[in-house]
Amino acid sequence: MSETQPHAVRQLLVRLRPYLPIAAALLAGLALWLAWSGWQQIRGEGNRAALQQTRDTTVEATTRTLTAELKQLAERLDSARVQQALAAGDLENAAAALAADWPNLEEAAIYLPDLQSVYGGLGEGGFGRAAALEGALVEDGPVSWVIREDGSPRVALAAPARSGERLVGVAFVRLPLARATLATEHAHLDEDAMYLALRQGSVTLLERGNQDYMPAAERMAAAVPGTGLRVVAATPQMAGMPFGLSGMPAFAVAAALLLLAFFVWRVLPRLGREAVDDAEDAPTLLQAVAETPNQTPPESPIEVQDMPKPVPVRIDSGIFRAYDIRGVVGQTLDAGVAELVGHAIGSLMREQDLADIVVGRDGRLSGPDLVAGLVAGLRKAGRNVIDIGMAPTPVIYFGAFHLRTGCCISVTGSHNPPDYNGFKIVVGGETLSGDAITDLYARIAEDRLYTAGAPGGLSQRVIDEDYVDRIASDVQVGQRLKVVVDAGNGVAGEIGPRVLEAIGAEVVPLYCEIDGTFPNHHPDPSEPKNLEDLVRMVQRLDADLGIAFDGDGDRLGVVTREGENIYPDRLLMLFAADVLERNPGAVIVYDVKCTGHLPGHIVRHGGSPLMWKTGHSLIKAKMREIGAELAGEMSGHFFFQERWYGFDDGIYAAARLLEILAARDETPDAVFKTLPNGVSTPEIKVEAPGGDPHAFVKRFQDNARLEGARLSTIDGVRADWDDGWGLVRASNTTPVLVLRFDADDEEALKRIQQMFREQLLSVDPELPLPF
């Protein structure tokens, strides 16, 4: 070693020499691990790409097959023989002509448009045939479904049968299931390393490959256009790469580490041997100090630089709403955003010393990817995640109590269209809203995120039976009511009917197959048009009641045998009277959109009414603050603290409703007729000027002159007169104004609407009012 080499380096080499072989071995081992991981990722990416191609090919082939069958149905209905029989009203001969020489056909029939013969025989064939026929009438064109008849699934085609422009009947054709599953059955697949399945809703029609990968298959789902089918697929989930490297960069780093290992193994020992030899002639420390001249080196100026500012996070603040986080998948929401949200929630939990959290999702196709991102973020913050899979929001809320976590997240788009999704969040028993939601965004934007030294744990639990048993152990109906349940293809479609059957009701499911594309109607029971099929089914089956759930099961809609939509504020009257029998003087909370008849009804039954702001999280917070036993919103959210946990639960509310109705001697229609009623409008939504509803409501509040009214401004402006009321408020989720009017009679309703109209137009003469 040269005499000019610093003494400290020589000493360091002397000390490190015994450890250099170990260091070289560790570096070589790390290089081999990186190389192996890189190869595994490249192979996994290749498998995934191949599976995606197989999935897409299967979707295309299935689409071609079913489209060809639908085209054949349309052509045969237009054929001369079929048209001649239809013109004569001879549906039997028309069906025979339709079926003639149709390969693989199992059955063909043409029914009268009222479908009375189909509904009369529901006990024989189930609801599938009726659903397909109804679908053809609603779509006014041919449709394909997979239904269950004779104990096994079949392909069903249906289409309107016309003679000229006149609707004569509805055609039905049944084919073997193989017409839908053929492409899946013959798809090219590595059976050990891949999984492929054809599904309709929550039903798997055919599956192939390694079933160990089945739970993650929805992440690679692709819809079969024009049908309710989808092809799902999965390969082994690739483990996270060390240091965030991808395949080829991992190989490059591995090569560099091998070179470094060689240098440590071969070069440094030689330098160390030279250092040992030189060390014998090196001066002692005392000698070195004595020989060092006493010179103070000139001080060099220190350059002071500003601290680098954090790079803004690319995340849309607009998805952080008043009550939850919600966005459009692929535009403002994806797995990366979900991971940031999970990281922020996990950081908040850490500050509150909360370790465990329950996570679940609704039936939307984007759910699995968002859950994966969310879980990754929560675990990054050191939180332990309990994944309960696909479940309604109230079941996820229940999980926070049942599993004693106090925290949960429901990945759901609620009642919104299929491309929406979001997060409903509970931390420490409190549903996050308002500032707590916006603080999550601030944490992300300001990089105030806690990263644990080791990731949190991940476990899976199934709590469906616990939820059903908990309700059934407390609620039972005294008489067997016949109920039609319309889940709108939302996630409550499976467990909702189970709960009502467990408490003793007879349940007929309608659109209860979980399908994240919502093929029949939006799962929003607050919109009367979404209840039309339910009304028809209740009347055709002579059922006692119709129950509707929204997309994630936390809201309830009800229709009667006579076709009346029982608005939630009237349901709350029934619930309040029941709760107050056991809890005299209890506080009942309701939101500003509820009828003016409600507070008087609560008082007459010995309760204390309290009007509060709209919003499920705001209502829950108020309930906790004042110790209320019950609350409800006009949107269909009901919150039972008495005998339950105080969160909004459409399924539990339905069970309590049936318990009340079954205990009465009158029919459900007669019970509802005893409740105070008037005339009212549904929610009226008007586009806000400039897209800012809050600014408009503030101007309205400052300028409105509503003579003789009692004004409430806790949430918008509500004006109450002795014979009715009106409301205008700003939506907290969309840029619209929400209006509603309620009165004792039509004359009062028109008068109140006219007063509001004049005041609204005085604020903005261009406001597009529909009344």
Side-chain angles (χ1 to χ4, degrees):
M1 181 170 289
S2 68
E3 295 179 358
T4 59
Q5 188 171 20
H7 177 74
V9 174
R10 292 202 307 269
Q11 292 297 320
L12 180 64
L13 288 173
V14 170
R15 293 174 180 174
L16 290 180
R17 187 183 176 201
Y19 305 105
L20 293 179
I22 299 174
L26 289 174
L27 288 169
L30 180 60
L32 292 174
W33 177 45
L34 281 172
W36 170 259
S37 299
W39 179 75
Q40 288 285 75
Q41 186 177 66
I42 290 173
R43 188 180 71 165
E45 289 173 349
N47 283 345
R48 185 177 179 87
L51 182 58
Q52 285 178 333
Q53 183 176 359
T54 297
R55 177 202 64 189
D56 294 343
T57 301
T58 304
V59 168
E60 292 172 4
T62 305
T63 303
R64 284 196 303 271
T65 300
L66 295 179
T67 300
E69 297 288 8
L70 288 171
K71 182 179 178 182
Q72 183 168 194
L73 174 60
E75 290 174 349
R76 285 171 175 260
L77 284 171
D78 289 338
S79 67
R81 285 184 58 195
V82 173
Q83 282 294 308
Q84 183 177 1
L86 289 175
D90 189 347
L91 300 187
E92 186 174 344
N93 278 330
L98 181 69
D101 302 320
W102 190 324
N104 302 310
L105 183 75
E106 291 185 349
E107 180 188 352
I110 299 179
Y111 299 96
L112 290 172
D114 61 12
L115 303 183
Q116 289 294 339
S117 59
V118 177
Y119 286 102
L122 268 184
E124 302 171 7
F127 182 71
R129 179 176 300 224
L133 293 164
E134 288 279 13
L137 289 173
V138 171
E139 294 294 328
D140 195 27
V143 298
S144 65
W145 290 55
V146 173
I147 66 173
R148 177 169 289 274
E149 286 193 344
D150 299 335
S152 60
R154 302 284 203 279
V155 173
L157 310 180
R162 288 186 170 84
S163 175
E165 296 298 320
R166 182 169 59 93
L167 180 66
V168 179
V170 190
F172 173 85
V173 168
R174 196 178 78 179
L175 298 164
L177 180 64
R179 300 305 295 158
T181 60
L182 189 65
T184 306
E185 187 175 354
H186 293 284
H188 178 69
L189 196 70
D190 183 339
E191 300 281 347
D192 293 325
M194 298 177 181
Y195 175 83
L196 189 75
L198 181 68
R199 292 179 181 171
Q200 178 175 269
S202 58
V203 178
T204 298
L205 303 172
L206 179 71
E207 59 183 353
R208 292 181 53 206
N210 193 329
Q211 294 192 14
D212 291 341
Y213 311 138
M214 178 179 62
E218 289 293 348
R219 297 177 186 173
M220 292 180 63
V224 179
T227 74
L229 304 173
R230 65 186 185 280
V231 177
V232 302
T235 59
Q237 186 173 1
M238 291 180 288
M241 283 292 294
F243 316 116
L245 298 171
S246 57
M248 291 309 297
F251 281 119
V253 173
L257 287 173
L258 284 174
L259 288 174
L260 181 59
F262 178 79
F263 178 79
V264 172
W265 177 50
R266 301 288 297 187
V267 177
L268 285 184
R270 179 171 56 82
L271 296 177
R273 281 194 301 271
E274 294 176 2
V276 170
D277 296 338
D278 290 348
E280 296 175 356
D281 301 325
T284 66
L285 176 61
L286 186 60
Q287 292 171 335
V289 171
E291 294 172 2
T292 302
N294 187 16
Q295 295 179 350
T296 302
E299 294 185 3
S300 58
I302 299 173
E303 182 180 356
V304 179
Q305 298 180 345
D306 292 333
M307 290 293 291
K309 297 180 180 179
V311 177
V313 177
R314 288 188 152 187
I315 186 170
D316 185 0
S317 62
I319 68 175
F320 294 79
R321 309 294 187 92
Y323 318 132
D324 52 28
I325 298 172
R326 189 184 311 161
V328 179
V329 177
Q331 296 181 22
T332 57
L333 195 60
D334 60 14
V337 172
E339 182 171 345
L340 289 171
V341 169
H343 202 175
I345 296 169
S347 301
L348 174 63
M349 290 175 60
R350 188 232 180 194
E351 293 177 2
Q352 299 184 17
D353 198 24
L354 299 167
D356 304 317
I357 185 167
V358 173
V359 170
R361 63 178 177 88
D362 68 13
R364 292 166 192 266
L365 302 185
S366 59
D369 280 342
L370 295 184
V371 166
L374 183 72
V375 169
L378 289 165
R379 296 184 68 199
K380 188 178 291 185
R383 302 309 96 186
N384 301 316
V385 179
I386 305 171
D387 184 356
I388 65 170
M390 188 162 60
T393 293
V395 176
I396 299 166
Y397 290 157
F398 170 79
F401 288 88
H402 182 66
L403 302 177
R404 302 182 185 279
T405 67
C407 303
C408 65
I409 304 173
S410 175
V411 179
T412 175
S414 189
H415 59 282
N416 291 286
D419 54 341
Y420 279 74
N421 216 324
F423 311 95
K424 293 181 178 179
I425 308 157
V426 176
V427 174
E430 179 181 355
T431 302
L432 300 195
S433 63
D435 292 341
I437 292 284
T438 54
D439 181 66
L440 294 178
Y441 172 75
R443 286 175 182 272
I444 296 169
E446 298 166 9
D447 198 24
R448 292 189 287 114
L449 302 175
Y450 168 76
T451 299
L458 173 62
S459 60
Q460 281 79 35
R461 287 285 297 270
V462 178
I463 62 171
D464 289 4
E465 282 298 327
D466 299 311
Y467 176 81
V468 174
D469 291 344
R470 170 64 178 83
I471 296 176
S473 67
D474 182 53
V475 180
Q476 286 291 316
V477 297
Q479 57 176 304
R480 190 168 175 80
L481 297 174
K482 185 175 183 179
V483 182
V484 180
V485 174
D486 180 358
N489 299 112
V491 71
E494 194 274 332
I495 198 169
R498 278 172 58 194
V499 166
L500 300 187
E501 287 174 345
I503 68 170
E506 177 185 354
V507 178
V508 179
L510 172 66
Y511 307 146
C512 284
E513 304 84 4
I514 301 173
D515 187 337
T517 65
F518 308 125
N520 295 291
H521 61 71
H522 280 326
D524 183 0
S526 69
E527 292 289 341
K529 66 180 181 180
N530 295 330
L531 301 174
E532 292 172 358
D533 289 355
L534 179 60
V535 169
R536 285 195 293 268
M537 184 60 60
V538 169
Q539 292 174 338
R540 281 176 172 160
L541 298 182
D542 197 30
D544 295 293
L545 203 65
I547 296 292
F549 300 124
D550 71 333
D552 64 334
D554 61 3
R555 296 199 294 165
L556 172 67
V558 175
V559 299
T560 68
R561 182 184 296 171
E562 294 180 6
E564 183 182 5
N565 177 7
I566 306 299
Y567 286 125
D569 51 3
R570 296 183 70 213
L571 291 175
L572 187 55
M573 294 180 189
L574 206 59
F575 291 140
D578 177 64
V579 168
L580 289 168
E581 284 184 8
R582 295 176 295 277
N583 302 272
V587 177
I588 311 295
V589 181
Y590 61 99
D591 76 324
V592 296
K593 294 187 289 185
C594 288
T595 175
H597 294 292
L598 178 58
H601 186 81
I602 293 171
V603 169
R604 284 192 296 274
H605 285 82
S608 303
L610 175 67
M611 185 166 67
W612 194 238
K613 302 174 184 179
T614 292
H616 66 91
S617 53
L618 305 178
I619 294 285
K620 279 181 275 196
K622 196 61 170 178
M623 285 184 72
R624 285 195 304 274
E625 176 188 338
I626 61 177
E629 292 289 347
L630 174 69
E633 287 186 279
M634 192 61 197
S635 59
H637 290 271
F638 296 98
F639 315 76
F640 288 85
Q641 186 64 50
E642 191 233 23
R643 298 164 54 190
W644 199 233
Y645 301 99
F647 55 74
D648 39 336
D649 187 341
I651 300 170
Y652 180 75
R656 289 287 291 263
L657 176 63
L658 296 188
E659 180 186 55
I660 294 168
L661 295 175
R664 304 282 288 268
D665 294 329
E666 311 99 304
T667 65
D669 291 76
V671 172
F672 290 125
K673 281 183 170 59
T674 65
L675 300 174
N677 199 8
V679 291
S680 61
T681 67
E683 286 190 6
I684 301 170
K685 297 178 181 178
V686 177
E687 185 176 348
D692 190 346
H694 294 279
F696 180 90
V697 170
K698 180 65 170 63
R699 285 189 289 151
F700 181 84
Q701 182 177 328
D702 292 340
N703 296 287
R705 298 293 179 267
L706 298 164
E707 297 297 329
R710 301 179 301 279
L711 295 182
S712 170
T713 57
I714 60 171
D715 187 3
V717 177
R718 171 167 168 155
D720 281 80
W721 290 269
D722 290 337
D723 57 353
W725 59 273
L727 168 73
V728 57
R729 61 178 292 273
S731 169
N732 285 314
T733 56
T734 53
V736 300
L737 301 170
V738 179
L739 299 94
R740 188 167 186 252
F741 303 95
D742 183 278
D744 292 343
D745 52 49
E746 288 286 353
E747 182 178 349
L749 184 69
K750 290 178 181 177
R751 186 193 81 246
I752 294 169
Q753 284 184 303
Q754 182 59 31
M755 293 178 69
F756 266 76
R757 179 182 178 83
E758 292 171 2
Q759 296 296 314
L760 290 165
L761 293 178
S762 71
V763 177
D764 186 340
E766 302 299 321
L767 196 66
L769 298 176
F771 59 90

